Structures are given as structure tokens and as C-alpha cells.
Amino acid sequence: MKKVLFGIGCALVLASGPVSAAPSVNGSTGLINNPSADVLREGEFSLGYYHLKDGGVGVFNTNILPKLEIGVAGFRYDHQDNENYVNAKFSILSESVLNPGLAVGIEDIGNTRERSAYAVASKALPFGFRMHVGAGSGRFDGVFAGIEKTLNPISVLTGNNVFPATTLIAEYDGKHMNYGARMAIVPGLKLDAGWRDHDGYVGVSYTY
């Protein structure tokens, strides 16, 4: 009986993982503003673009070494100087059924605006939830946290999905509360929309 209950618990936790890795607005794989403990697997890359109130940001991440993700984020503003960030994140511990994932990273390594170092842990929970908690310097201003809730596709009698898998996101980035939704359209392709830094945003990303 214990083995059966343990197996059910494992299945619930594994099923509650994210739709798939996607870049955050600031570049690193993560939520809205916050990074997660996820890193791209070796050989993977992600591209994304987010339209913000005062401009937009294009992001690119890749993994050229095991557990090491590097990337860039290019901010293009309407009424101020453009900014380019170089980011890096290293996975210390991969997430499993029993333990959280753990990663450390640096955003804006060149200190274009504000170099920010951080450590973050991510853990899938039952029923489609996933928690992220971290602490960092710079823009993080101490503790940051976020939670995701994945809504799996609902199937009708024919087996067709009523809507794509969608992840709802709420986070505190050290200064603001942000809210969003990430919809998986086809494998690797995701659409994002929500409320960030007191303004709306929309985005699209692709991970391969």
C-alpha cells in the first residue's frame, strides 16, 4: 500500500512540472521578471520577444556546457538609451521528486544598469503547482518568490483539446507583484501575457 501511495505521489509531482522552459522578460529562463532554477539542457536554445509599455526586449539563451545557461537580453526603449544584458545561470542541483532544483546566477554581468547575483530554488508540488523562492542583490533587493499553476488541456469525447496547456503565474520580484499566463501553442512555442511593473505586457518565445 505504501508503494502505491508513493507512486501516486510521484506521478502527481512529476505531472505538475512547467509546460516547458521559457525565458523571462529579463532573459534568464524563468517566470515573468524572476529566474527559476531551470536551465536549458545541453544543446538547447530559446528565443523570445516581449512588448512592454515603453519599448520591447529580445532575449536569447543557450546551453553550451552541462548545467550552464548563458544568454543576452536587448532592451529597446522608446524614449531612453537602449540596454544589453549578458546573463549566466548554473544549476547546482537538478529537481527531483524529493528535492528542489537549485541554481545560482548573475544578470547584467557587464553592469549596464544593475548587476544582480542570485540563488533560487524551484520545486514542483501536487495538483499542478510549482514554487520558486530565491534571494539576490541588485534589482532583486533581497527575497523574491513565485508560484505557478499549470492547467492541463481538457479533452472532449473525441480526444481533441479544448485549450492548450496554460500556466498561470504570480510572483514577487523584490519590488513588485506581477501576474501572467503562459500558453503552450505547439511544442516549444509559447505565448505570454500579463501585468508587470504596473503595466501590461505580451510576449512570444520558442525553445528548441
Side-chain angles (χ1 to χ4, degrees), residues 21-100:
S24 64
V25 172
N26 290 282
S28 301
T29 297
L31 306 179
I32 304 171
N33 274 355
N34 291 351
S36 67
D38 305 317
V39 299
L40 295 174
R41 291 188 292 269
E42 191 171 2
E44 284 188 328
F45 70 88
S46 62
L47 294 165
Y49 177 80
Y50 293 94
H51 180 73
L52 312 175
K53 174 191 174 183
D54 53 356
V57 54
V59 299
F60 172 78
N61 295 310
T62 189
N63 187 320
I64 57 174
L65 294 172
K67 298 187 175 183
L68 178 62
E69 175 182 296
I70 60 171
V72 294
F75 287 81
R76 298 296 178 261
Y77 299 106
D78 296 333
H79 303 293
Q80 64 185 76
D81 293 338
N82 298 327
E83 298 173 342
N84 298 306
Y85 299 169
V86 176
N87 306 318
K89 180 165 55 169
F90 181 76
S91 173
I92 296 176
L93 182 65
S94 298
E95 183 177 352
S96 71
V97 172
L98 298 179
N99 62 261

